[in-house]
Amino acid sequence: MNWNKFFTGTPDHGDHANEDETETEDDEDITDSNGTVSTDRKPHFLGMQFHKFSRNDVLQRCLNLAFLIINVTAFLAGIVGVVISIWTLTDNRIMSRLIGQRLFITTLLFIGIIVSLVSLLGIVGLLRKRRKFLNIYALCFLGFLCTIFISSIMSFWIFEEIIKRIQEEMSTSIDSYHSSVWSREAWDNTHRYLKCCGMKSAKDWANYHVDIPKSCCSRFIEECLLMTEAVAYKPGCLKNAVLLWKSYMHTISIAILMLFVILLMTFLLTICILARMRKQD
């Protein structure tokens, strides 16, 4: 009923029919709106709305998460390696030895810089969805895999070259023990660190007409006021250096094997992410 027409006195012709028609139309609209609402409605539980993810979405999220975890870990490890390498290179007590520490630390510094930069490139490429960055990232990892494979084949030759270099440094520096400050510090630190004396034995100092250094003392200081072969370390520094490098090589071999597996998994993970990006385009 139209109350405006009722108070003004205008006749109400066909109001009931109009009301019936409007009611039926309203009912139809309500049912239609209810139908649309029911189709658009999503399940709720305790005020929380649940979204239905397909298997592809879940797999994509897992791939991205695994990729980010690996690269963030690699980036932090690279930064730590760079910091430790710089700190070691600036420490004269560690670097002034005749066992090739500088080569090992410099290699660690170089690897740390490359790993941190490449990992950062992969993180930026994934977050920004830049396929060019990820392509460069995949090529870098392929180069790492090839480098590790070639290095593993040449590991015996590299080990022999390191030992030859240590032997050459020992033979050239033993004659200049008193004339060169670096040679004296290097030999003293090597004697104390490896608990050795001379290249093969304490007799090497006599062959070069050099007195046996005090750093060769294997007993109390009072007994080493007059240095002789009896109070000096028995093993030679070259033998102990070779044993030390062999222990290093075992550790490095295990680390390289684990690194190869991680690099291979990361490379395959990158290929999968790039393939899914191409499908989405």
Side-chain angles (χ1 to χ4, degrees):
M1 182 177 181
N2 195 335
W3 293 101
N4 292 326
K5 293 181 179 181
F6 176 78
F7 286 109
T8 56
T10 55
D12 192 8
H13 299 291
D15 289 339
H16 296 287
N18 292 331
E19 288 177 359
D20 294 336
E21 291 176 0
T22 55
E23 287 178 357
T24 55
E25 291 175 358
D26 293 338
D27 292 338
E28 291 176 357
D29 293 335
I30 291 171
T31 55
D32 293 336
S33 62
N34 289 333
T36 56
V37 169
S38 62
T39 56
D40 296 334
R41 189 175 297 167
K42 294 180 180 180
H44 289 73
F45 179 73
L46 297 178
M48 295 184 293
Q49 188 174 5
F50 293 93
H51 300 275
K52 294 181 179 179
F53 296 107
S54 63
R55 292 182 179 179
N56 293 328
D57 294 334
V58 175
L59 181 59
Q60 184 67 35
R61 289 172 182 269
C62 292
L63 290 175
N64 294 341
L65 182 61
F67 185 85
L68 287 176
I69 291 174
I70 292 174
N71 284 276
V72 169
T73 305
F75 177 76
L76 296 177
I79 295 298
V80 172
V82 170
V83 173
I84 293 176
S85 301
I86 295 175
W87 172 72
T88 306
L89 288 172
T90 55
D91 192 348
N92 294 327
R93 293 175 300 177
I94 298 177
M95 296 311 301
S96 58
R97 294 176 187 165
L98 300 171
I99 51 176
Q101 292 283 352
R102 187 175 296 276
L103 177 63
F104 178 75
I105 300 301
T106 305
T107 304
L108 180 61
L109 175 63
F110 183 70
I111 293 175
I113 293 173
I114 293 179
V115 168
S116 58
L117 291 177
V118 173
S119 300
L120 183 61
L121 180 66
I123 293 171
V124 173
L126 181 64
L127 295 179
R128 296 292 184 88
K129 295 183 179 180
R130 301 288 181 86
R131 288 198 304 178
K132 292 182 179 179
F133 289 177
L134 292 177
N135 286 328
I136 298 173
Y137 175 87
L139 290 176
C140 291
F141 266 74
L142 183 61
F144 291 160
L145 292 172
C146 295
T147 303
I148 291 176
F149 179 74
I150 295 172
S151 299
S152 62
I153 296 176
M154 300 176 61
S155 59
F156 296 101
W157 177 81
I158 295 173
F159 180 75
E160 293 295 333
E161 287 296 321
I162 292 174
I163 299 303
K164 288 181 180 179
R165 183 174 178 179
I166 295 174
Q167 187 174 1
E168 290 176 358
E169 289 183 358
M170 287 183 176
S171 60
T172 55
S173 60
I174 192 171
D175 190 24
S176 60
Y177 178 81
H178 291 293
S179 60
S180 174
V181 177
W182 180 87
S183 298
R184 184 168 59 253
E185 291 180 355
W187 271 109
D188 291 341
N189 291 331
T190 303
H191 288 158
R192 297 188 184 99
Y193 180 67
L194 297 180
K195 299 185 183 303
C196 59
C197 187
M199 291 180 58
K200 298 180 179 180
S201 66
K203 296 180 180 180
D204 294 333
W205 296 100
N207 296 332
Y208 285 89
H209 305 287
V210 179
D211 295 334
I212 299 176
K214 299 290 184 182
S215 56
C216 286
C217 179
S218 62
R219 301 181 182 181
F220 295 104
I221 299 176
E222 293 80 7
E223 301 180 28
C224 297
L225 296 177
L226 181 61
M227 282 299 303
T228 59
E229 296 181 12
V231 296
Y233 290 113
K234 301 303 179 184
C237 293
L238 182 60
K239 179 181 178 181
N240 285 5
V242 172
L243 294 176
L244 180 63
W245 267 105
K246 283 184 177 180
S247 65
Y248 282 170
M249 291 301 294
H250 289 303
T251 305
I252 292 172
S253 300
I254 296 174
I256 288 177
L257 180 61
M258 295 177 61
L259 182 62
F260 183 83
V261 174
I262 294 173
L263 289 176
L264 183 60
M265 292 175 59
T266 307
F267 177 74
L268 296 177
L269 192 63
T270 308
I271 297 300
C272 293
I273 293 174
L274 286 172
R276 288 185 170 273
M277 283 185 176
R278 292 189 183 94
K279 287 182 180 180
Q280 291 176 358
D281 294 340

